[in-house]
Amino acid sequence: MTTSGTYNSLTIPVEPLVREAFERIGIPGELTEYQKLDAAVRSLNFMLKEWMTRGVNLWTLQTALMPLVPRQGTYGLPPQVNDITQVNLRTSFRQLNGTATSTKSGDAAHAFDDNPQTACTQTEKNGTISYDFGAGNTQVITLVGIQNKEATQQYTLTISGAQGTSAAVPLLTLPQQTYPVNPQGLGLIQWFEIPTPGAYQIYSITETGGATLNIQEIYFNTMVRDTPLSRVSRSEYLSYPVPQQIGRPSVYYLDRQITPVLWVWPTPSSVYNCLSYSYERMMEDVGTVTNTVQIPARFYEALIWGLAWHMACKYAPDKAENARAYYDATFNQASTDDSEGTPVTIYADFSGRGG
């Protein structure tokens, strides 16, 4: 038996999906009409937003790190955050007792002196700041923090590791981005996870996009530990008698505005500077008909019937009821399958409580 050996149907452009939806309501060849094509793209965008109200779509789940600021209890989230599923308080241990060096001049020791009032300020573009833990002393760095001094400067960084005189191994490449500074002029520590940690003697950050490094602090951290925060309602959060109490954050409230806001309590002390959170990201717009829709292949059938229903409502009302029935059936089937498949274990309680 001969098979194709290909999996091209895993990613299908928008145009054939739209064509299939029209054909299922008996309208072949209508893609030549711009009005109907435009209507289909608009309906796809609205339908994908509606899917987000039907439950958590696993392919939209992502994780991110958020810097905490001492005495600050509210934090703006990116507008594409639809909901948060879990928040952890992340703690880690900064590794020091090594030797700092800097190319392109600048005092590298200032980036590791635990004093954000000082900085390693280089004088030329595309420099490197390194930290050597010493011969025979390797560290498995899993978390890197960068605290910038200039509010408007953008960096394109590569984080690398090296063993002695061996060539540096790129561990993480960061796209060009701004490293924000608070109103007091202190940089906010931006945290990054090393995806594949290894044991290295020397760690470094290198600017590759033509900027000049001006770094207050660099953190090469190990011993990462996450502690879950409990989610509370708005009324419960507002009932706390000392809203600005300082300490170890233990609860959070998500204010789901157009631009969502995360509230944590107690407000963090200087010891706590990072959150790790898992969130449901809004689906990307469809864009043009040459793009692919940001869904897994197992949802194509539901998407086609859903689009067929939307188009039938506009151009073939007599087919709308039948298309809606197929849409509901295929979406329910796909969403039922869209689960993590982990078993649930129920234990009996023999303590005698509760009667």
Side-chain angles (χ1 to χ4, degrees):
M1 182 175 64
T2 302
T3 62
S4 67
T6 63
Y7 299 91
N8 295 328
S9 60
L10 291 178
T11 54
I12 302 176
V14 171
E15 183 175 350
L17 297 176
V18 172
R19 184 187 300 119
E20 179 69 17
F22 272 117
E23 289 175 353
R24 292 189 184 191
I25 58 173
I27 308 179
E30 293 295 338
L31 286 178
T32 56
E33 297 184 24
Y34 174 79
Q35 180 182 4
K36 288 187 173 63
L37 178 60
D38 181 62
V41 171
R42 280 188 282 110
S43 291
L44 274 177
N45 282 323
F46 288 131
M47 187 170 65
L48 291 178
K49 300 301 181 288
E50 184 261 338
W51 280 13
M52 301 181 64
T53 68
R54 293 188 171 219
V56 176
N57 303 297
L58 294 184
W59 69 91
T60 65
L61 293 180
Q62 293 189 345
T63 59
L65 300 178
M66 173 186 291
L68 292 176
V69 180
R71 299 176 179 266
Q72 180 177 318
T74 60
Y75 299 87
L77 294 170
Q80 63 267 26
V81 173
N82 180 57
D83 198 3
I84 285 182
T85 59
Q86 184 172 346
V87 176
N88 295 324
L89 178 65
R90 172 160 293 188
T91 57
S92 57
F93 183 77
R94 188 182 192 183
Q95 296 293 341
L96 293 170
N97 299 319
T99 303
T101 58
S102 170
T103 65
K104 317 295 185 181
S105 73
D107 190 343
H110 285 165
F112 300 92
D113 61 2
D114 204 26
N115 179 8
Q117 300 295 340
T118 64
C120 176
T121 304
Q122 297 187 338
T123 57
E124 299 179 46
K125 300 177 181 179
N126 294 337
T128 297
I129 302 175
S130 302
Y131 200 76
D132 188 341
F133 292 101
N137 185 10
T138 60
Q139 299 288 344
V140 182
I141 300 299
T142 56
L143 191 67
V144 176
I146 299 172
Q147 191 173 16
N148 183 40
K149 185 175 182 179
E150 296 182 9
T152 59
Q153 182 63 67
Q154 291 188 326
Y155 296 136
T156 307
L157 300 176
T158 297
I159 301 172
S160 304
Q163 193 64 271
T165 58
S166 301
V169 178
L171 303 176
L172 180 64
T173 299
L174 302 174
Q176 186 180 67
Q177 57 188 291
T178 300
Y179 292 74
V181 175
N182 67 20
Q184 289 73 41
L186 297 178
L188 300 179
I189 305 173
Q190 302 298 299
W191 294 99
F192 306 97
E193 293 180 293
I194 300 298
T196 308
Y200 297 99
Q201 174 189 329
I202 305 169
Y203 286 85
S204 62
I205 65 167
T206 301
E207 166 62 27
T208 61
T212 301
L213 294 177
N214 191 5
I215 305 295
Q216 292 173 328
E217 292 290 321
I218 298 173
Y219 296 82
F220 292 130
N221 287 18
T222 60
M223 300 173 60
V224 173
R225 180 176 181 179
D226 286 345
T227 304
L229 273 62
S230 300
R231 185 168 184 168
V232 297
S233 66
R234 180 184 182 87
S235 60
E236 185 175 358
Y237 186 90
L238 294 177
S239 69
Y240 295 141
V242 187
Q244 296 303 316
Q245 179 175 324
I246 300 172
R248 174 183 172 277
S250 59
V251 302
Y252 74 96
Y253 158 61
L254 177 63
D255 190 5
R256 297 182 68 185
Q257 301 297 318
I258 295 177
T259 299
V261 178
L262 184 71
W263 301 55
V264 297
W265 185 88
T267 57
S269 67
S270 59
V271 176
Y272 305 104
N273 53 28
C274 184
L275 288 181
S276 170
Y277 65 98
S278 176
Y279 67 96
E280 182 185 6
R281 174 187 43 77
M282 300 183 88
M283 295 186 213
E284 295 179 5
D285 296 332
V286 173
T288 66
V289 294
T290 58
N291 294 332
T292 56
V293 186
Q294 194 186 29
I295 64 172
R298 60 184 178 273
F299 271 83
Y300 278 149
E301 190 70 8
L303 181 135
I304 292 171
W305 275 117
L307 183 57
W309 169 55
H310 280 278
M311 295 300 96
C313 290
K314 298 177 181 180
Y315 302 112
D318 58 311
K319 306 289 181 61
E321 183 177 352
N322 184 62
R324 176 60 188 264
Y326 278 111
Y327 172 41
D328 288 339
T330 53
F331 185 89
N332 290 338
Q333 182 179 5
S335 60
T336 299
D337 179 67
D338 193 49
S339 65
E340 295 180 338
T342 54
V344 176
T345 303
I346 301 176
Y347 297 96
D349 183 0
F350 297 104
S351 63
R353 296 189 297 266

